[in-house]
Amino acid sequence: MILVTGGAGYIGSHTIVELLNKNFEVLVIDNFSNSELSALNSIEKITGKSISFIEMDLRNYDLLIEKTKEFDIEGIIHFAAYKSVGESVFEPLKYYDNNINSLINILNFLKERSISNFVFSSSCTVYGSPEIIPVTEKSEVKKGESPYGKSKIIGEEIINDFNASHTFSAINLRYFNPIGAHSSGLIGDKPSGKPNNLLPFVTQVAIGKREVLSIFGGDYDTPDGTCLRDYIHVTDLAKAHVSAIEYNRKNHNKVIPINLGTGNGSSVLEIVNTFEKVTKIKINFKINPRRKGDVPAIFGDCSLSKKLLGWEAQLSLEDMLSSAWNFEKNIKN
Ligand code: UFG
């Protein structure tokens, strides 16, 4: 059985679908701080399989030990974390408390329960604003520009240090920009309140929940002046987690960082234009000043994932955008 922390969240829920499709049993721990129970019901509807589930906060170690006693856990995929870059700047302690303490507890738990297979949800934010793109796993890890970003960098360091003192196999998956939704339209990115990320904002403008998309900066040194990102379909990303769990079964006993992207950079305007093309809906947008902390351009060299995990992204930008739109249309409120 695989323990998926934060399994009701955006990437977690898609990953569980792929785990179940590959006949893994799944135990979810989530406190629903930024997710809903309905996501777990949707997963069961999509797969026709059931999942075990514990509602709890991972900062409570004793409860973690107590509640998981009866489950035979082979591996852990640790998603549970706060993820808003902007919020983390205003509430740094909230981010360090949750993201770091949860990780420490889950690593103590791994040791206590003799689990040797660990997958960590990291981010390309560890590369900061890179001088050379695409970034490889050997590119420099930067200082971190927000408490959120730092919590990922520190998280990776904690895993490395722990691995030097205790034997287990770990993969730090460094995601680029996950977008899109499951083909069923039943699970997807559903931020509460005003979206920070580009795609949910675009789909909310398209459906009429928001009036205008603000494009942050049109004067970057990029082909059309807007930022470049490596957008990756969340279903592709989810499948990489299953491959990582399978790879760790070889007991390599190391910590391996792996980029997960497509290797292509797309600009904000390209996203808007492609969205308009696939949905035939015009997006009302305005080019505004730059957003503080935005990296002008980043995309990944994703050859290591292919070499080690046998995984590479399959789905196109059109797939990403049409599935995101399909999900938005299915959201009830
Ligand atoms: N953008 C807009 N308008 C919006 C929202 C975003 O123009 O309303 C632009 C941003 O300026 C950026 C691009 O769209 O150029 C993507 O922005 P997102 O907020 O969707 O994603 P980021 O690249 O800023 O952040 C993502 C993850 C973070 C992670 C970071 C690492 O959300 O968790 O990548 O670079 F830390």
Side-chain angles (χ1 to χ4, degrees):
M1 167 175 271
I2 306 298
L3 167 61
V4 181
T5 73
Y10 175 44
I11 306 174
S13 57
H14 288 80
T15 298
I16 295 171
V17 169
E18 301 308 326
L19 284 166
L20 294 172
N21 283 345
K22 285 268 192 128
N23 293 321
F24 282 94
E25 282 183 86
V26 172
L27 167 65
V28 173
I29 294 181
D30 206 299
N31 65 357
F32 300 117
S33 63
N34 190 27
S35 59
E36 292 169 14
L37 179 64
S38 61
L40 301 182
N41 300 330
S42 298
I43 293 169
E44 293 188 336
K45 207 160 151 191
I46 291 167
T47 60
K49 295 184 178 174
S50 62
I51 39 190
S52 304
F53 149 67
I54 302 165
E55 179 174 359
M56 64 161 287
D57 193 311
L58 284 170
R59 283 169 291 189
N60 188 338
Y61 186 70
D62 294 340
L63 194 64
L64 174 62
I65 295 290
E66 171 62 30
K67 292 259 190 187
T68 53
K69 256 194 220 140
E70 66 192 89
F71 298 101
D72 184 14
I73 299 167
E74 174 205 341
I76 301 171
I77 307 180
H78 182 54
F79 291 105
Y82 293 144
K83 62 171 187 177
S84 164
V85 177
E87 186 189 43
S88 78
V89 175
F90 295 103
E91 298 198 67
L93 299 184
K94 175 176 163 179
Y95 273 68
Y96 288 126
D97 176 32
N98 187 45
N99 294 7
I100 303 299
N101 286 322
S102 297
L103 175 64
I104 291 171
N105 281 352
I106 209 75
L107 291 173
N108 271 319
F109 172 78
L110 170 140
K111 184 175 179 185
E112 167 103 21
R113 294 284 301 263
S114 305
I115 298 164
S116 60
N117 188 336
F118 189 70
V119 176
F120 179 58
S121 179
S122 188
S123 165
C124 71
T125 195
V126 303
Y127 301 117
S129 191
E131 284 77 44
I132 301 165
I133 39 178
V135 286
T136 77
E137 292 80 358
K138 291 199 169 72
S139 298
E140 187 193 350
V141 168
K142 296 282 175 52
K143 202 173 135 278
E145 292 184 15
S146 68
Y148 160 77
K150 286 179 191 162
S151 78
K152 292 296 177 191
I153 297 167
I154 297 166
E156 287 202 13
E157 285 180 359
I158 290 172
I159 296 165
N160 287 331
D161 290 345
F162 186 49
N163 188 261
S165 73
H166 172 76
T167 307
F168 62 103
S169 298
I171 298 184
N172 293 332
L173 293 175
R174 295 176 176 166
Y175 314 146
F176 285 78
N177 286 57
I179 58 170
H182 189 261
S183 55
S184 63
L186 292 175
I187 52 173
D189 192 4
K190 197 179 171 195
S192 46
K194 192 173 167 190
N196 295 306
N197 295 115
L198 179 62
L199 243 289
F201 212 105
V202 169
T203 57
Q204 289 194 10
V205 170
I207 208 143
K209 276 188 203 160
R210 313 221 166 246
E211 218 161 286
V212 54
L213 167 73
S214 173
I215 293 183
F216 300 130
D219 57 352
Y220 284 101
D221 184 17
T222 57
D224 65 20
T226 65
C227 293
L228 295 182
R229 293 287 181 276
D230 187 341
Y231 295 94
I232 171 165
H233 198 299
V234 68
T235 295
D236 275 335
L237 195 76
K239 288 180 178 167
H241 291 74
V242 183
S243 305
I245 285 285
E246 286 169 341
Y247 187 79
N248 280 346
R249 280 179 164 174
K250 294 177 185 167
N251 292 327
H252 53 79
N253 295 337
K254 295 189 290 277
V255 187
I256 308 173
I258 299 183
N259 287 345
L260 294 181
T262 62
N264 302 313
S266 305
S267 74
V268 181
L269 278 174
E270 251 178 283
I271 294 289
V272 171
N273 293 337
T274 313
F275 185 87
E276 290 181 337
K277 198 180 83 198
V278 297
T279 63
K280 315 254 180 314
I281 296 171
K282 272 253 150 286
I283 295 297
N284 184 18
F285 71 83
K286 187 166 180 289
I287 305 218
N288 281 329
R290 297 179 179 194
R291 179 169 73 175
K292 200 171 161 283
D294 267 341
V295 168
I298 184 163
F299 50 95
D301 176 321
C302 300
S303 47
L304 187 63
S305 66
K306 188 168 181 200
K307 191 171 143 212
L308 293 187
L309 307 182
W311 172 94
E312 61 184 329
Q314 305 285 337
L315 298 165
S316 67
L317 196 56
E318 283 79 4
D319 295 325
M320 303 179 209
L321 298 174
S322 58
S323 64
W325 176 230
N326 188 32
F327 176 67
E328 181 68 66
K329 286 187 291 184
N330 274 343
I331 298 177
K332 300 281 180 298
N333 43 47

